[in-house]
Amino acid sequence: MKGSNSYKFRSTKLIITIFSLVGTTVLLWTWERAPLVNTLLSAQDQFLFSSSDIVTSASDSFDAVLITEKTNGPIGQDLNAAPINFATSRSPVKNEDLMGFRESSLENSGCNYAKGKWVADSRRPLYSGFSCKQWLSEMWSCRLSQRTDFSYERYRWKPNHCEMPEFERLTFLKRMQDKTIAYVGDSLGRQQFQSMMCMATGGLEMPEVEDVGWKYGLIKPQGAIRPDGWAYRFPSTNTTILYYWSANLCNLEPLNATNPATDYAMHLDRPAAFLSRYLHRIDVLVLNTGHHWNRGKLNANRWVMHVNGMPVIDRKLANIGNAKNHTVYSVVKWLDSQLYRHTRLKAFFRTISPRHFLNGDWNTGGSCDNTIPLVGGSEVTQDESSDPVVEGAVRGTKIKILDITAISQIRDEGHISRYSHKAKEGMQDCLHWCLPGIPDTWNELLIAQL
Ligand SMILES: *[C@@H]1O[C@H](CO)[C@@H](O)[C@H](O)[C@H]1NC(C)=O
Ligand SMILES: *[C@@H]1O[C@H](CO)[C@@H](O)[C@H](O)[C@H]1NC(C)=O
Ligand SMILES: *[C@@H]1O[C@H](CO)[C@@H](O)[C@H](O)[C@H]1NC(C)=O
């Protein structure tokens, strides 16, 4: 048949093209990556596009971090981590919102969850790292790796002046009856999502939990390695937990939809389309961004900064740090302006997750070898956040800060480190965290503030 011949021809051509384009880098395909937002392309184009994008990709994965960051200039480097400064003496200008969000924990209003200390707790972890296979990516499951030290699993965060009720999954699900919790952000957001799935299931097999990705447009395009996110519904309480991959939280728009190698307009002043489309169906929203703000990733993904619908020519704004700042402020401003229409929505901006590459970076032998918890101290005493961008952006709005930067900064032993399943010899992952682990605490802090 004509159709199938032509299909065969195109497939052969496609395969040849892929191999010539990709070459040995196809080996890297197994690395976790998120597909690009390019639903306008045909399946074949998409596959081709995605494949040739392996090396460079919009990917969320550590490996892609490794690969794309190779092209980083110094600009990208210093922005990968928020400046951490425990010694600063800025006065605490917490403008706690008085309008809502803490009705359920009035006694806690005004307290700072990020101030406190890590304490040993034999009731941790909240689920076993040998379980939760249904939700937890193997690459983040350190119990399934060669790692032998697990003391990082056995700590709980204790804020100085706020109540932190013990997490109890059935109580939590009941509280979340008929609600949808959405994580939107980069791979660290995905870690927090997987952590939440494991916490909510206790790591147990739960065949009754329903895949409802289709209800949020989260379906794997033909040829793509995976969808842009996942959504799962607990039928017992009608609770949905979802994740959408949006590394920079910007709206991305192909500049030429018919060209598989198109550049994308990355609108610094327009939130990801997913957010505007589904906001009315979200009850708890947790945003994050951070580690994709570097020149290497932007170029690799062919993301071209736009503001007011026009390419950014202002050199000051084109600076990566300023562009990120502009985006974070824009997203927060937009979200805040939407809240009056979505009165049940509780929106959080999670601060940046710290990296811990020592004696080098990801590609120059940087490591995070320490296995002894809290060698640098167990307390956070500063009043201000170690992520001034998010702190500044949410100030005076009804968006809440989920401040995890300083508390995670003193948990350098909790990263995947040398036990990455996929990193090349000598490379360490000092960006992502073992699960169970530190992101579970982020969720406990989130739940306490709901
Ligand atoms: C589940 O919750 C949603 C709101 O999030 C509601 O629209 C829907 O009717 C609920 N479904 C059931 C079966 O209760
Ligand atoms: C868009 O891409 C297609 C395919 O590469 C090309 O033929 C066309 O000229 C492009 N359009 C514009 C406006 O650049
Ligand atoms: C970030 O943007 C906001 C709003 O435009 C501005 O007030 C603030 O000074 C900027 N911060 C930095 C560090 O550029």
Side-chain angles (χ1 to χ4, degrees):
M1 278 190 315
K2 203 174 155 216
S4 80
N5 275 343
S6 118
Y7 176 74
K8 213 186 253 164
F9 172 70
R10 282 162 67 199
S11 305
T12 313
K13 203 172 129 202
L14 174 72
I15 288 162
I16 293 167
T17 316
I18 290 169
F19 272 91
S20 58
L21 270 175
V22 178
T24 53
T25 56
V26 89
L27 293 171
L28 297 164
W29 188 231
T30 49
W31 290 96
E32 273 246 323
R33 61 175 295 282
L36 287 162
V37 190
N38 59 350
T39 44
L40 295 173
L41 301 180
S42 75
Q44 277 206 359
D45 286 342
Q46 180 137 25
F47 184 42
L48 182 57
F49 182 46
S50 305
S51 302
S52 60
D53 187 62
I54 293 170
V55 205
T56 55
S57 150
S59 143
D60 216 356
S61 57
F62 178 59
D63 39 308
V65 172
L66 300 187
I67 295 155
T68 60
E69 285 187 356
K70 223 171 260 176
T71 49
N72 270 3
I75 298 176
Q77 301 294 337
D78 44 19
L79 282 153
N80 281 321
I84 307 296
N85 185 355
F86 292 97
T88 49
S89 56
R90 254 187 313 142
S91 60
V93 230
K94 288 255 153 162
N95 187 352
E96 293 293 352
D97 91 77
L98 303 168
M99 302 289 289
F101 290 10
R102 278 195 180 153
E103 317 86 4
S104 59
S105 51
L106 263 186
E107 74 278 14
N108 280 344
S109 62
C111 77
N112 182 352
Y113 285 84
K115 244 174 112 171
K117 61 171 178 271
W118 289 101
V119 293
D121 190 334
S122 59
R123 291 165 303 173
R124 296 294 184 282
L126 296 166
Y127 53 93
S128 161
F130 294 110
S131 66
C132 201
K133 296 207 170 99
Q134 217 175 336
W135 323 107
L136 181 51
S137 293
E138 197 184 330
M139 60 178 173
W140 293 331
S141 182
C142 292
R143 285 279 179 178
L144 303 180
S145 74
Q146 303 293 311
R147 188 162 181 152
T148 54
D149 67 290
F150 297 101
S151 45
Y152 66 84
E153 287 183 348
R154 306 190 76 94
Y155 288 85
R156 169 173 60 89
W157 178 253
K158 191 176 179 309
N160 286 345
H161 302 295
C162 335
E163 287 298 316
M164 274 278 278
E166 188 64 14
F167 176 76
E168 209 289 301
R169 65 182 191 87
L170 296 178
T171 312
F172 172 65
L173 283 173
K174 205 162 275 164
R175 256 181 88 197
M176 293 295 113
Q177 175 102 37
D178 299 324
K179 292 195 189 321
T180 295
I181 304 168
Y183 297 88
V184 176
D186 62 22
S187 58
L188 280 304
R190 186 173 170 214
Q191 288 215 287
Q192 196 179 351
F193 158 74
Q194 291 193 0
S195 156
M196 182 59 104
M197 287 305 298
C198 295
M199 286 167 65
T201 57
L204 304 175
E205 287 279 319
M206 288 212 170
E208 72 271 26
V209 172
E210 210 186 328
D211 183 341
V212 291
W214 59 275
K215 290 187 186 172
Y216 296 86
L218 304 174
I219 33 179
K220 191 163 82 79
Q222 214 182 349
I225 202 84
R226 74 166 83 116
D228 285 331
W230 295 267
Y232 298 105
R233 179 176 169 274
F234 290 73
S236 56
T237 56
N238 187 28
T239 302
T240 299
I241 302 177
L242 73 83
Y243 165 72
Y244 179 77
W245 186 80
S246 173
N248 291 352
L249 302 176
C250 298
N251 187 227
L252 292 172
E253 203 179 32
L255 287 169
N256 178 349
T258 59
N259 179 0
T262 183
D263 285 349
Y264 287 79
M266 176 177 126
H267 296 286
L268 306 183
D269 51 354
R270 296 179 195 165
F274 181 89
L275 284 172
S276 21
R277 190 171 306 146
Y278 294 107
L279 200 61
H280 65 288
R281 286 168 51 189
I282 298 173
D283 298 276
V284 176
L285 175 63
V286 184
L287 299 174
N288 91 281
T289 186
H291 297 286
H292 281 248
W293 289 96
N294 61 67
R295 201 56 74 179
K297 279 200 187 275
L298 261 51
N299 292 345
N301 290 300
R302 300 185 288 269
W303 291 340
V304 182
M305 292 184 204
H306 280 59
V307 163
N308 289 326
M310 303 293 288
V312 170
I313 42 169
D314 176 357
R315 293 185 65 162
K316 189 156 170 263
L317 185 53
N319 167 283
I320 295 276
N322 294 333
K324 175 191 166 189
N325 185 65
H326 192 86
T327 299
V328 172
Y329 273 78
S330 300
V331 170
V332 166
K333 193 173 164 204
W334 170 80
L335 194 54
D336 197 42
S337 76
Q338 298 298 304
L339 285 180
Y340 79 97
R341 292 206 279 163
H342 308 284
T343 47
R344 35 148 248 303
L345 174 64
K346 298 178 181 185
F348 293 79
F349 211 118
R350 204 207 72 214
T351 62
I352 196 163
S353 168
R355 301 162 23 122
H356 287 94
F357 292 98
L358 264 187
N359 302 317
D361 209 338
W362 65 270
N363 59 344
T364 53
S367 61
C368 39
D369 280 327
N370 174 37
T371 56
I372 306 163
L374 305 165
V375 283
S378 60
E379 268 185 86
V380 173
T381 56
Q382 66 194 29
D383 289 307
E384 71 280 9
S385 174
S386 288
D387 184 340
V389 174
V390 172
E391 183 180 54
V394 302
R395 184 174 296 140
T397 73
K398 292 193 274 304
I399 316 305
K400 301 216 54 102
I401 188 169
L402 179 57
D403 190 3
I404 57 87
T405 306
I407 76 170
S408 309
Q409 181 67 25
I410 53 180
R411 297 303 308 275
D412 60 306
E413 88 288 9
H415 287 290
I416 311 284
S417 68
R418 64 177 64 253
Y419 302 103
S420 167
H421 291 270
K422 288 159 181 167
K424 292 200 202 81
E425 190 60 32
M427 273 188 185
Q428 297 200 10
D429 184 348
C430 305
L431 172 64
H432 296 105
W433 305 91
C434 289
L435 289 176
I438 313 307
D440 302 334
T441 299
W442 304 350
N443 279 324
E444 288 187 83
L445 284 167
L446 168 71
I447 293 163
Q449 294 173 76
L450 283 177

Short mmCIF file of all heavy atoms in Angstrom, two decimals, residues 130-174:
data_model
loop_
_atom_site.label_atom_id
_atom_site.label_comp_id
_atom_site.label_asym_id
_atom_site.label_seq_id
_atom_site.Cartn_x
_atom_site.Cartn_y
_atom_site.Cartn_z
N PHE A 130 12.97 0.82 49.81
CA PHE A 130 12.89 -0.42 49.02
C PHE A 130 11.52 -0.55 48.38
O PHE A 130 11.30 -1.39 47.51
CB PHE A 130 13.13 -1.64 49.92
CG PHE A 130 14.52 -1.70 50.48
CD1 PHE A 130 14.75 -1.48 51.82
CD2 PHE A 130 15.60 -1.97 49.63
CE1 PHE A 130 16.04 -1.52 52.33
CE2 PHE A 130 16.88 -2.02 50.14
CZ PHE A 130 17.11 -1.80 51.49
N SER A 131 10.59 0.26 48.86
CA SER A 131 9.23 0.17 48.33
C SER A 131 8.95 1.37 47.45
O SER A 131 9.86 2.00 46.93
CB SER A 131 8.24 0.08 49.49
OG SER A 131 8.26 1.29 50.21
N CYS A 132 7.71 1.68 47.30
CA CYS A 132 7.27 2.82 46.49
C CYS A 132 7.74 2.72 45.04
O CYS A 132 7.92 3.75 44.37
CB CYS A 132 7.71 4.15 47.10
SG CYS A 132 6.69 5.52 46.49
N LYS A 133 7.90 1.51 44.56
CA LYS A 133 8.41 1.35 43.19
C LYS A 133 7.43 1.89 42.14
O LYS A 133 7.82 2.23 41.03
CB LYS A 133 8.70 -0.12 42.93
CG LYS A 133 9.82 -0.64 43.83
CD LYS A 133 10.56 -1.81 43.20
CE LYS A 133 11.81 -2.14 43.98
NZ LYS A 133 11.63 -3.28 44.88
N GLN A 134 6.17 1.97 42.54
CA GLN A 134 5.16 2.46 41.61
C GLN A 134 5.38 3.94 41.27
O GLN A 134 5.00 4.40 40.20
CB GLN A 134 3.79 2.29 42.28
CG GLN A 134 2.67 1.90 41.34
CD GLN A 134 1.37 1.64 42.13
OE1 GLN A 134 1.40 1.32 43.34
NE2 GLN A 134 0.25 1.78 41.45
N TRP A 135 6.00 4.69 42.19
CA TRP A 135 6.07 6.15 42.00
C TRP A 135 7.48 6.70 41.99
O TRP A 135 7.73 7.78 41.49
CB TRP A 135 5.29 6.85 43.14
CG TRP A 135 4.07 6.13 43.54
CD1 TRP A 135 3.87 5.41 44.69
CD2 TRP A 135 2.86 5.99 42.78
NE1 TRP A 135 2.63 4.86 44.68
CE2 TRP A 135 1.98 5.19 43.53
CE3 TRP A 135 2.44 6.47 41.53
CZ2 TRP A 135 0.72 4.85 43.08
CZ3 TRP A 135 1.19 6.13 41.08
CH2 TRP A 135 0.34 5.33 41.85
N LEU A 136 8.38 5.96 42.62
CA LEU A 136 9.72 6.50 42.83
C LEU A 136 10.66 6.06 41.71
O LEU A 136 10.83 4.86 41.48
CB LEU A 136 10.21 6.00 44.20
CG LEU A 136 11.59 6.43 44.68
CD1 LEU A 136 11.76 7.93 44.59
CD2 LEU A 136 11.79 5.96 46.12
N SER A 137 11.27 7.02 41.02
CA SER A 137 12.22 6.69 39.96
C SER A 137 13.41 5.95 40.55
O SER A 137 13.94 6.33 41.59
CB SER A 137 12.74 7.97 39.28
OG SER A 137 11.71 8.60 38.58
N GLU A 138 13.82 4.93 39.86
CA GLU A 138 14.94 4.13 40.35
C GLU A 138 16.19 5.00 40.55
O GLU A 138 16.96 4.80 41.48
CB GLU A 138 15.21 3.01 39.36
CG GLU A 138 16.06 1.90 39.95
CD GLU A 138 16.40 0.84 38.91
OE1 GLU A 138 15.59 0.63 37.98
OE2 GLU A 138 17.49 0.25 39.04
N MET A 139 16.37 5.96 39.66
CA MET A 139 17.59 6.78 39.73
C MET A 139 17.68 7.60 41.02
O MET A 139 18.74 8.10 41.36
CB MET A 139 17.65 7.70 38.52
CG MET A 139 16.48 8.64 38.45
SD MET A 139 16.62 9.75 37.04
CE MET A 139 15.02 10.55 37.13
N TRP A 140 16.54 7.78 41.70
CA TRP A 140 16.56 8.56 42.93
C TRP A 140 16.40 7.68 44.17
O TRP A 140 16.31 8.17 45.29
CB TRP A 140 15.44 9.62 42.90
CG TRP A 140 15.70 10.67 41.85
CD1 TRP A 140 16.91 11.08 41.38
CD2 TRP A 140 14.72 11.44 41.13
NE1 TRP A 140 16.74 12.06 40.42
CE2 TRP A 140 15.41 12.30 40.25
CE3 TRP A 140 13.32 11.50 41.16
CZ2 TRP A 140 14.76 13.20 39.41
CZ3 TRP A 140 12.67 12.38 40.32
CH2 TRP A 140 13.39 13.23 39.44
N SER A 141 16.32 6.41 43.92
CA SER A 141 16.06 5.49 45.00
C SER A 141 17.39 4.93 45.51
O SER A 141 17.88 3.91 45.05
CB SER A 141 15.18 4.37 44.45
OG SER A 141 14.87 3.48 45.46
N CYS A 142 17.99 5.62 46.46
CA CYS A 142 19.35 5.27 46.88
C CYS A 142 19.42 3.91 47.55
O CYS A 142 20.47 3.27 47.56
CB CYS A 142 19.91 6.37 47.78
SG CYS A 142 20.17 7.90 46.85
N ARG A 143 18.31 3.45 48.11
CA ARG A 143 18.29 2.11 48.71
C ARG A 143 18.53 1.04 47.65
O ARG A 143 18.91 -0.08 47.98
CB ARG A 143 16.95 1.87 49.40
CG ARG A 143 16.81 2.60 50.72
CD ARG A 143 17.50 1.84 51.83
NE ARG A 143 17.41 2.55 53.11
CZ ARG A 143 17.92 2.07 54.24
NH1 ARG A 143 18.54 0.91 54.27
NH2 ARG A 143 17.81 2.76 55.36
N LEU A 144 18.25 1.37 46.42
CA LEU A 144 18.44 0.39 45.35
C LEU A 144 19.80 0.56 44.68
O LEU A 144 20.10 -0.08 43.68
CB LEU A 144 17.33 0.51 44.30
CG LEU A 144 15.90 0.35 44.82
CD1 LEU A 144 14.89 0.48 43.68
CD2 LEU A 144 15.71 -0.98 45.55
N SER A 145 20.63 1.44 45.24
CA SER A 145 21.96 1.67 44.67
C SER A 145 23.00 0.99 45.55
O SER A 145 22.68 0.26 46.47
CB SER A 145 22.22 3.17 44.56
OG SER A 145 22.48 3.71 45.85
N GLN A 146 24.27 1.28 45.26
CA GLN A 146 25.36 0.67 46.04
C GLN A 146 25.57 1.36 47.39
O GLN A 146 26.41 0.94 48.17
CB GLN A 146 26.67 0.77 45.24
CG GLN A 146 26.64 0.16 43.87
CD GLN A 146 26.49 -1.35 43.94
OE1 GLN A 146 27.21 -2.01 44.67
NE2 GLN A 146 25.52 -1.89 43.21
N ARG A 147 24.84 2.39 47.62
CA ARG A 147 25.06 3.16 48.84
C ARG A 147 24.81 2.31 50.09
O ARG A 147 23.88 1.48 50.11
CB ARG A 147 24.13 4.38 48.86
CG ARG A 147 24.41 5.34 49.98
CD ARG A 147 23.78 6.70 49.71
NE ARG A 147 24.08 7.62 50.80
CZ ARG A 147 24.15 8.93 50.65
NH1 ARG A 147 23.94 9.47 49.47
NH2 ARG A 147 24.41 9.70 51.68
N THR A 148 25.61 2.50 51.10
CA THR A 148 25.47 1.70 52.32
C THR A 148 25.15 2.54 53.55
O THR A 148 24.78 2.00 54.59
CB THR A 148 26.75 0.89 52.61
OG1 THR A 148 27.84 1.80 52.63
CG2 THR A 148 26.99 -0.16 51.53
N ASP A 149 25.32 3.85 53.45
CA ASP A 149 25.01 4.70 54.62
C ASP A 149 23.64 5.33 54.40
O ASP A 149 23.36 5.90 53.34
CB ASP A 149 26.06 5.79 54.78
CG ASP A 149 26.02 6.78 53.64
OD1 ASP A 149 26.39 6.40 52.52
OD2 ASP A 149 25.57 7.93 53.86
N PHE A 150 22.79 5.23 55.39
CA PHE A 150 21.44 5.77 55.24
C PHE A 150 21.00 6.64 56.42
O PHE A 150 19.82 6.88 56.61
CB PHE A 150 20.44 4.63 55.02
CG PHE A 150 20.71 3.88 53.75
CD1 PHE A 150 21.37 2.66 53.79
CD2 PHE A 150 20.36 4.41 52.52
CE1 PHE A 150 21.66 1.98 52.62
CE2 PHE A 150 20.64 3.73 51.34
CZ PHE A 150 21.30 2.52 51.39
N SER A 151 21.99 7.10 57.16
CA SER A 151 21.61 7.90 58.33
C SER A 151 20.87 9.18 57.91
O SER A 151 20.09 9.72 58.68
CB SER A 151 22.84 8.24 59.17
OG SER A 151 23.89 8.66 58.35
N TYR A 152 21.07 9.63 56.67
CA TYR A 152 20.37 10.84 56.21
C TYR A 152 18.85 10.67 56.22
O TYR A 152 18.12 11.65 56.17
CB TYR A 152 20.86 11.23 54.80
CG TYR A 152 20.49 10.21 53.75
CD1 TYR A 152 19.25 10.25 53.14
CD2 TYR A 152 21.37 9.20 53.38
CE1 TYR A 152 18.89 9.30 52.19
CE2 TYR A 152 21.03 8.26 52.45
CZ TYR A 152 19.79 8.31 51.85
OH TYR A 152 19.43 7.37 50.93
N GLU A 153 18.40 9.42 56.28
CA GLU A 153 16.94 9.18 56.25
C GLU A 153 16.27 9.45 57.59
O GLU A 153 15.05 9.51 57.66
CB GLU A 153 16.65 7.71 55.88
CG GLU A 153 16.89 7.34 54.44
CD GLU A 153 16.50 5.88 54.17
OE1 GLU A 153 16.28 5.12 55.15
OE2 GLU A 153 16.44 5.50 52.99
N ARG A 154 17.07 9.57 58.63
CA ARG A 154 16.48 9.48 59.96
C ARG A 154 16.46 10.80 60.73
O ARG A 154 16.75 10.85 61.92
CB ARG A 154 17.18 8.38 60.76
CG ARG A 154 17.18 7.05 59.99
CD ARG A 154 17.64 5.91 60.82
NE ARG A 154 16.62 5.46 61.77
CZ ARG A 154 15.75 4.49 61.52
NH1 ARG A 154 15.76 3.85 60.38
NH2 ARG A 154 14.88 4.13 62.42
N TYR A 155 16.11 11.85 60.02
CA TYR A 155 15.99 13.15 60.67
C TYR A 155 14.66 13.80 60.35
O TYR A 155 14.07 13.56 59.31
CB TYR A 155 17.14 14.08 60.22
CG TYR A 155 18.45 13.64 60.83
CD1 TYR A 155 19.22 12.66 60.23
CD2 TYR A 155 18.88 14.20 62.03
CE1 TYR A 155 20.41 12.23 60.81
CE2 TYR A 155 20.07 13.78 62.61
CZ TYR A 155 20.82 12.79 61.99
OH TYR A 155 21.97 12.37 62.58
N ARG A 156 14.26 14.63 61.26
CA ARG A 156 13.02 15.38 61.13
C ARG A 156 13.35 16.85 61.35
O ARG A 156 14.24 17.18 62.13
CB ARG A 156 12.05 14.88 62.21
CG ARG A 156 10.80 15.70 62.44
CD ARG A 156 9.87 14.96 63.42
NE ARG A 156 10.51 14.74 64.73
CZ ARG A 156 10.45 15.60 65.74
NH1 ARG A 156 9.81 16.74 65.60
NH2 ARG A 156 11.05 15.33 66.90
N TRP A 157 12.65 17.72 60.64
CA TRP A 157 12.87 19.16 60.83
C TRP A 157 11.96 19.66 61.94
O TRP A 157 10.75 19.41 61.93
CB TRP A 157 12.60 19.93 59.54
CG TRP A 157 12.77 21.41 59.73
CD1 TRP A 157 11.79 22.36 59.78
CD2 TRP A 157 14.02 22.11 59.91
NE1 TRP A 157 12.35 23.60 59.99
CE2 TRP A 157 13.72 23.47 60.07
CE3 TRP A 157 15.35 21.70 59.96
CZ2 TRP A 157 14.70 24.44 60.27
CZ3 TRP A 157 16.33 22.67 60.16
CH2 TRP A 157 16.00 24.03 60.31
N LYS A 158 12.54 20.39 62.87
CA LYS A 158 11.78 20.91 64.00
C LYS A 158 11.88 22.43 63.99
O LYS A 158 12.91 22.97 64.40
CB LYS A 158 12.35 20.33 65.29
CG LYS A 158 11.50 20.58 66.52
CD LYS A 158 12.13 19.88 67.73
CE LYS A 158 11.32 20.12 68.99
NZ LYS A 158 11.03 21.55 69.24
N PRO A 159 10.84 23.11 63.54
CA PRO A 159 10.89 24.58 63.58
C PRO A 159 10.87 25.05 65.03
O PRO A 159 10.32 24.39 65.90
CB PRO A 159 9.60 25.00 62.88
CG PRO A 159 9.03 23.78 62.25
CD PRO A 159 9.56 22.61 63.01
N ASN A 160 11.49 26.20 65.25
CA ASN A 160 11.57 26.71 66.62
C ASN A 160 10.22 27.06 67.21
O ASN A 160 9.93 26.75 68.35
CB ASN A 160 12.45 27.97 66.65
CG ASN A 160 13.91 27.62 66.49
OD1 ASN A 160 14.29 26.45 66.63
ND2 ASN A 160 14.73 28.62 66.19
N HIS A 161 9.40 27.74 66.40
CA HIS A 161 8.20 28.33 67.00
C HIS A 161 6.91 27.96 66.28
O HIS A 161 5.90 28.61 66.47
CB HIS A 161 8.34 29.86 67.06
CG HIS A 161 9.54 30.30 67.83
ND1 HIS A 161 9.69 30.07 69.18
CD2 HIS A 161 10.67 30.94 67.44
CE1 HIS A 161 10.85 30.55 69.59
NE2 HIS A 161 11.47 31.08 68.55
N CYS A 162 6.96 26.95 65.41
CA CYS A 162 5.71 26.56 64.76
C CYS A 162 5.39 25.10 65.05
O CYS A 162 6.29 24.30 65.23
CB CYS A 162 5.76 26.71 63.23
SG CYS A 162 6.91 27.89 62.58
N GLU A 163 4.13 24.83 65.04
CA GLU A 163 3.67 23.45 65.19
C GLU A 163 3.97 22.67 63.91
O GLU A 163 3.71 23.15 62.81
CB GLU A 163 2.15 23.42 65.40
CG GLU A 163 1.71 23.91 66.76
CD GLU A 163 2.26 23.04 67.88
OE1 GLU A 163 2.20 21.79 67.74
OE2 GLU A 163 2.75 23.61 68.87
N MET A 164 4.51 21.49 64.08
CA MET A 164 4.70 20.59 62.93
C MET A 164 4.06 19.27 63.31
O MET A 164 4.70 18.40 63.87
CB MET A 164 6.19 20.37 62.66
CG MET A 164 6.84 21.40 61.78
SD MET A 164 6.56 21.13 60.03
CE MET A 164 7.80 19.91 59.64
N PRO A 165 2.77 19.11 63.02
CA PRO A 165 2.11 17.87 63.40
C PRO A 165 2.77 16.69 62.68
O PRO A 165 3.23 16.83 61.54
CB PRO A 165 0.67 18.05 62.95
CG PRO A 165 0.62 19.30 62.14
CD PRO A 165 1.92 20.02 62.27
N GLU A 166 2.83 15.57 63.36
CA GLU A 166 3.39 14.37 62.76
C GLU A 166 2.58 14.01 61.52
O GLU A 166 1.35 14.05 61.52
CB GLU A 166 3.34 13.24 63.78
CG GLU A 166 4.05 11.96 63.37
CD GLU A 166 5.55 12.13 63.19
OE1 GLU A 166 6.13 13.17 63.62
OE2 GLU A 166 6.16 11.25 62.59
N PHE A 167 3.29 13.67 60.44
CA PHE A 167 2.59 13.32 59.21
C PHE A 167 1.88 11.98 59.38
O PHE A 167 2.47 10.99 59.81
CB PHE A 167 3.57 13.23 58.04
CG PHE A 167 2.92 12.77 56.76
CD1 PHE A 167 2.15 13.64 56.03
CD2 PHE A 167 3.08 11.46 56.32
CE1 PHE A 167 1.52 13.21 54.86
CE2 PHE A 167 2.46 11.03 55.14
CZ PHE A 167 1.69 11.92 54.42
N GLU A 168 0.62 11.98 59.01
CA GLU A 168 -0.16 10.74 59.05
C GLU A 168 -0.92 10.69 57.74
O GLU A 168 -1.78 11.53 57.48
CB GLU A 168 -1.08 10.77 60.27
CG GLU A 168 -1.39 9.39 60.83
CD GLU A 168 -2.30 8.62 59.89
OE1 GLU A 168 -3.41 9.11 59.63
OE2 GLU A 168 -1.89 7.54 59.40
N ARG A 169 -0.61 9.70 56.93
CA ARG A 169 -1.06 9.79 55.54
C ARG A 169 -2.57 9.74 55.37
O ARG A 169 -3.12 10.44 54.51
CB ARG A 169 -0.38 8.72 54.68
CG ARG A 169 -0.73 7.31 55.01
CD ARG A 169 0.05 6.36 54.11
NE ARG A 169 -0.48 5.01 54.24
CZ ARG A 169 -1.49 4.54 53.53
NH1 ARG A 169 -2.07 5.30 52.62
NH2 ARG A 169 -1.94 3.33 53.71
N LEU A 170 -3.27 8.93 56.21
CA LEU A 170 -4.72 8.84 56.03
C LEU A 170 -5.41 10.13 56.46
O LEU A 170 -6.34 10.61 55.80
CB LEU A 170 -5.28 7.63 56.77
CG LEU A 170 -4.76 6.28 56.24
CD1 LEU A 170 -5.30 5.13 57.06
CD2 LEU A 170 -5.08 6.11 54.76
N THR A 171 -4.89 10.71 57.53
CA THR A 171 -5.40 12.00 57.97
C THR A 171 -5.18 13.05 56.89
O THR A 171 -6.06 13.86 56.57
CB THR A 171 -4.66 12.46 59.25
OG1 THR A 171 -4.64 11.37 60.17
CG2 THR A 171 -5.30 13.66 59.87
N PHE A 172 -3.98 13.01 56.32
CA PHE A 172 -3.65 13.97 55.28
C PHE A 172 -4.58 13.82 54.07
O PHE A 172 -5.15 14.80 53.57
CB PHE A 172 -2.19 13.80 54.86
CG PHE A 172 -1.83 14.63 53.67
CD1 PHE A 172 -1.84 16.02 53.74
CD2 PHE A 172 -1.50 14.04 52.46
CE1 PHE A 172 -1.51 16.80 52.64
CE2 PHE A 172 -1.17 14.81 51.35
CZ PHE A 172 -1.18 16.20 51.44
N LEU A 173 -4.76 12.59 53.62
CA LEU A 173 -5.62 12.36 52.46
C LEU A 173 -7.05 12.84 52.75
O LEU A 173 -7.71 13.43 51.90
CB LEU A 173 -5.60 10.89 52.05
CG LEU A 173 -4.35 10.45 51.28
CD1 LEU A 173 -4.34 8.93 51.07
CD2 LEU A 173 -4.25 11.16 49.92
N LYS A 174 -7.49 12.58 53.96
CA LYS A 174 -8.83 13.03 54.32
C LYS A 174 -8.92 14.56 54.25
O LYS A 174 -9.89 15.12 53.75
CB LYS A 174 -9.19 12.52 55.73
CG LYS A 174 -10.68 12.39 55.94
CD LYS A 174 -11.00 11.48 57.14
CE LYS A 174 -11.03 9.99 56.79
NZ LYS A 174 -10.96 9.12 57.98
#
